[in-house]
Amino acid sequence: MLVSASRGAGARCRAGPAGLRDSRLSCGPRAPRRSRTGPLCRAEPTASSDLELWELHEELLREIEERKQQQARLLDQLNSIEVPGAQQGANGPSRTATMAPPAARAPPPPPAPAAPSAPAGGMLRPPPPPAQKALERMRPVAQPAPEARPPAFAQQVLAPVRQQQLMTPPPAAPAARPAPAVEVLAEPEAPPEDAPPAEPPLAGENVMNIVMVGAECAPWSKTGGLGDVMGALPKAFARRGHRVMVVAPRYENYDNAWETGIRRIFRVMNQDVEVGYFHAFIDGVDFVFVDHPSFHFRAKDIYGGERQEIQFRCALLCKAALESVWHVPCGGIAYGDNNTVFIANDWHTALLPVYLQAHYRDYEQMKFSRAVFVIHNMAHQGRGPFVETEVLELPEKYREVFRLYDPIGGEHMNIMKAGLQFSHRIVAVSDGYAWECQTQEGGWGLDAIIRENNWKLRGIVNGIDYAEWSPTCDPHLETDGYVNYDIDTLEEGKKKCKMALQKELGLPVDPDIPLFGFIGRLDYQKGVDLIRDSHGWLMGQGVQLVMLGSGRQDLENDLRSMEAGHKAQTRCWVGFSVKMAHRITAGCDMLLMPSRFEPCGLNQLYAMAYGTVPIVHAVGGLRDTVKPFNPFESSGTGWTFERADAEQMRGACTNALETYRNYRDSFVALQRRGMGQDLSWDHAAEVYEEVLVAAKFQWD
């Protein structure tokens, strides 16, 4: 930089003042360059130099030297001052510090005396400076005393100025330059002395990174209870202080999910597949959606397609979820694989524990990551011909884990079996279902595997999201004659909602008629045939029946026939409507759930939260969540029957009708007990946390 300054001064010398523009005139040889480490060498004026220009040249060199020394002082101050809260960088402590403005520039020296006139016909020659002056010029220039340090010195931060800018020489005509801009950062306000300390997270020392993976996630995609779990449980984890990510397919365009720009290529079933990631941050949870054409337009048919197509989508989802913790910058920072637990849900994500072990942990990657597998429905296991394991990109020893033989299916590939064996912990969605999975009837061929791994099995009942399912703030109860209500306004609120439902569906409006409801998938599992077989008896009891659902074609036709035969008492809505599901739950007196097996069930929880009394088959999660009514002890929250039989269900309905018609106070007390329960996800998240901690400290 000094060389450029000398060249600039030399150029000005050659131009000269107005009377010395002859190109033959010269200021003599240039000042020698300054070495990188040695002192600045100054050149004495020569016979052809002009004294005034030579003095200007000297002044510029002095200013350059002054700036260099000033910069060195500022850098020393930067190195000696530490800003509070400055973070350590990867290569050592940060040098970000505050700095005072530079000291004022020393005033320029007085102008030199005029040069003596040259004799006629002679060359202009300045007299040589005295030796003492030459020695003074060689000495270091004295610097002005620095200004007093401001009282709040650590609050001032020098604006970022590159070193090249600090070393740039001033222009030819010396002019006062403004002081560098100083950015003052406000010091964080200290909390009041009497302020209570910040509360630690509810999880305490057990805070971890949790990644939930599933094929559906409400409200974006949902076919049943799994979608509700994927949408609500992560928020409960976040309230306890965990960092939570949900990974699900992107079936269509989601308005609140934005593309991250991250693209990854995976090897899936012997082909290279590129996927993208979309991200949404809602209620403290990172929702990450895997984008690939195989998922598009599947929102209405999530599990549709040929077996190989479904397996391809499931394998792709598992691989993309495992890599998401490294590559998706949620909030600017990726989760990483340290202190991370993956929660895989149902067979669609059962390959995740297998890939975690075979592709990462066996190669000393993700050694501190764990996988927990949640059983929502044992009936669906991802079965197929064993030869299809060849396209799963797994070593031979892992392929054998997929092999299963049972008397019904014979030898086949079972994806859920492998997921159960490679997961660090197993969760069933209720205590009752955890026991049923170990029986021959409830294990669906995997009961022996469950019993072998029952040391890592635990049952946890699902919860409900009160932000979506609460009669006090349900937006679907704000129009068309429906009203919001709570436990104190239960009787009046239920009466208005019941009359509004009767009016909307075209039934006779009478708040005293018992109104039964059913909401669910039309399937053999849900016991819809038991309601069909008891329909005539129910109509004879003078009740009204409202049903909502879709599924098997024969059962859909049965619902249409039931309505056609009793138009004044029955309404059957073939299909699904979220608004109508909320309104049926609020308007009905009793909800029928005669499921042959039910891992947990959510509709009975929604019903009790709305003051609707459930009538259920005592199986799985229904047994755990609905306590049978005991009129002598004034206890219980509903009616149960022990066998999936139409006659047994009619007996439970008889008891319910007797209480409703003749013991209304007991019926209202039953409703209030159901509404008074804590059915939130917060309790379930606390129990889940115990399982995750156990998996975290499992060493294998």
Side-chain angles (χ1 to χ4, degrees), residues 122 148 338 353 371 378 450:
N338 191 23
M378 283 290 295
I450 297 292

Side-chain angles (χ1 to χ4, degrees), residues 148-170:
R149 179 177 297 181
F153 185 80
Q155 298 180 6
Q156 302 177 0
V157 177
L158 182 66
V161 181
R162 291 177 297 184
Q163 183 177 1
Q164 290 83 350
Q165 293 175 324
L166 291 175
M167 296 291 293
T168 303

Side-chain angles (χ1 to χ4, degrees), residues 518 520-538 545 547 552 554-556 558-559 562 592-597 617 641 643-647 649-650:
F518 170 86
R521 187 173 68 255
L522 303 183
D523 191 85
Y524 177 80
Q525 172 199 346
K526 299 298 182 180
V528 183
D529 56 313
L530 303 184
I531 301 177
R532 177 199 61 195
D533 296 342
S534 302
H535 182 249
W537 177 87
L538 288 171
L545 176 64
M547 301 184 69
R552 285 173 41 174
D554 57 335
L555 294 177
E556 289 182 356
D558 289 339
L559 262 64
M562 290 161 59
L592 295 172
M593 289 192 68
S595 303
R596 284 183 167 81
F597 67 93
H617 177 208
F641 52 97
R643 192 171 67 252
D645 180 79
E647 184 177 353
M649 188 189 76
R650 290 194 291 268

